[in-house]
Amino acid sequence: MMSDSFRALRLNKNDDGQSHEFVELTENDLMEGDVTIAVSHSTLNYKDGLALTGASPVVRVWPMIPGIDFAGTVEKSEHPDFKEGDDVILNGWGVGETHFGGYAGKARVKGDWLLKRPAAISAAQSMAIGTAGYTAMLCIMALADTPTDAGEILVTGAAGGVGSVALALLSKLGYQAVASTGRLEEEAYLTGLGASRVIDRNTLSEKGRPLDNEQWAGVVDAVGSHTLANAIAQTKYGGTVAACGLAQGPDLPASVMPFILRGVTLAGIDSVMAPREKREAAWAQLAEHLDLAKLDAMSSQAILDDLPDLGGKILAGQSRGRLIVTL
């Protein structure tokens, strides 16, 4: 009979700092939950990079198995909505932060945190989407009242995970998406995903005017700080800015002028604790609108052993698109 042990990446912390190790665990090592899942795939998001490197205090319980996303198949369930054999996905809910996450062969979680994987999307593709892609969909849902002919939609951090999926979705939905990036060598990649044009992020990343010329009908921002402040200042009358990230910083050195003179809306996008109905709506729209050929074009492959190195790369802006981690 096969052993029920499985491999995991575990983060530890002591007085000397944070370290990682690859360990063999059994189900007895897992945390509480009413559903046990055989994990087939995970992914790497910006937040995972913060956890893996310790660059930000993402992990709040030690030791921790990181990984805020996973896809797999239910092995055991005491939850009424799930049964053995169900294909499921998980995004967020503090997994990989306060509860063991996706960088392991098995996971045990609350069934309330799980979603059934849409049949149109494979397990690997669901992790190519991951929290980054699901967040991009939440951003675009926040722009739903913006007509496709209202003008250009700005996507900041466009070569990253959120930005890449946002470009593919916006172009499929008929919007003109403008990609802002610090990596102009990625222009062919970004236009391939659907960007109508590409601009240098330096035009947005320095301190700007509190109210600037109107340029954008809407914005998907994963960057924060001066970039977000400038994007808000350049948004057209009545436009919406969906803010979901802080790659440049968590500060917002902005003015109220765009809000009170142009009626601009700043929509905060949280993917971690979003209610199930909103998650199901986002995943249904991803299944309907995301071009899976473009998803495959923005995706690369990795295994568990690659993650410690890749965590540093995603923080340094050296990764592109989405990463599928096969357990």
Side-chain angles (χ1 to χ4, degrees):
M1 185 171 167
M2 285 181 64
S3 160
D4 69 346
S5 69
F6 55 89
R7 197 156 175 261
L9 169 57
R10 186 166 66 193
L11 301 179
N12 302 302
K13 191 174 191 179
N14 58 27
D15 293 342
D16 297 327
Q18 180 175 316
S19 62
H20 71 267
E21 60 180 339
F22 295 98
V23 291
E24 287 287 330
L25 302 177
T26 70
E27 282 185 28
N28 293 335
D29 298 306
L30 294 173
M31 295 171 90
E32 289 298 304
D34 52 8
V35 184
T36 303
I37 300 102
V39 177
S40 62
H41 300 84
S42 187
T43 183
L44 179 74
N45 300 285
Y46 191 85
K47 185 185 270 188
D48 296 312
L50 293 173
L52 287 164
T53 59
S56 182
V58 166
V59 175
R60 298 194 291 282
V61 173
W62 300 92
M64 178 52 59
I65 296 170
I68 66 171
D69 290 320
F70 64 75
T73 304
V74 172
E75 286 193 336
K76 300 173 191 167
S77 174
E78 295 165 7
H79 191 284
D81 293 349
F82 299 98
K83 64 183 189 304
E84 185 182 339
D86 283 349
D87 294 320
V88 293
I89 46 181
L90 183 142
N91 311 109
W93 292 118
V95 167
E97 301 175 67
T98 58
H99 191 99
F100 286 177
Y103 295 165
K106 288 193 183 184
R108 187 191 291 134
V109 298
K110 290 183 181 177
D112 288 349
W113 298 347
L114 297 168
L115 293 179
K116 290 187 179 168
R117 173 166 57 78
I121 298 172
S122 72
Q125 287 168 332
S126 76
M127 288 298 100
I129 296 167
T131 281
Y134 144 66
T135 302
M137 188 73 246
L138 292 175
C139 289
I140 286 159
M141 287 162 65
L143 300 179
D145 292 337
T146 306
T148 53
D149 61 357
E152 294 177 322
I153 306 291
L154 174 68
V155 178
T156 67
V162 172
S164 294
V165 179
L167 289 174
L169 286 166
L170 287 164
S171 66
K172 178 77 181 291
L173 292 167
Y175 289 98
Q176 272 195 301
V178 175
S180 165
T181 183
R183 292 178 273 169
L184 293 175
E185 69 275 11
E186 299 286 17
E187 183 168 3
Y189 165 76
L190 295 167
T191 52
L193 291 180
S196 58
R197 62 190 180 97
V198 178
I199 63 172
D200 191 326
R201 72 173 178 209
N202 290 336
T203 61
L204 293 161
S205 59
E206 302 297 324
K207 181 172 169 53
R209 290 153 60 182
L211 199 66
D212 211 334
N213 294 331
E214 296 181 64
Q215 291 193 57
W216 319 115
V219 179
V220 174
D221 176 67
V223 177
S225 193
H226 287 293
T227 297
L228 175 56
N230 287 320
I232 292 167
Q234 294 171 9
T235 296
K236 292 181 178 183
Y237 191 95
T240 297
V241 179
C244 68
L246 43 64
Q248 186 180 4
D251 57 319
L252 181 55
S255 150
V256 298
M257 305 286 270
F259 306 118
I260 61 176
L261 296 180
R262 289 187 185 154
V264 169
T265 296
L266 178 59
I269 305 299
D270 164 62
S271 61
V272 179
M273 304 306 288
R276 182 188 270 194
E277 308 76 57
K278 199 168 197 178
R279 294 166 180 268
E280 287 174 341
W283 278 96
Q285 292 209 37
L286 284 161
E288 183 179 352
H289 297 302
L290 184 57
D291 183 332
L292 295 179
K294 285 184 178 175
L295 182 68
D296 293 342
M298 72 177 83
S299 302
S300 53
Q301 307 284 334
I303 58 172
L304 210 54
D305 304 72
D306 301 327
L307 286 166
D309 288 338
L310 292 170
K313 287 188 171 171
I314 196 169
L315 297 194
Q318 294 167 359
S319 63
R320 177 174 94 173
R322 299 291 297 134
L323 188 79
I324 301 167
V325 180
T326 302
L327 271 302

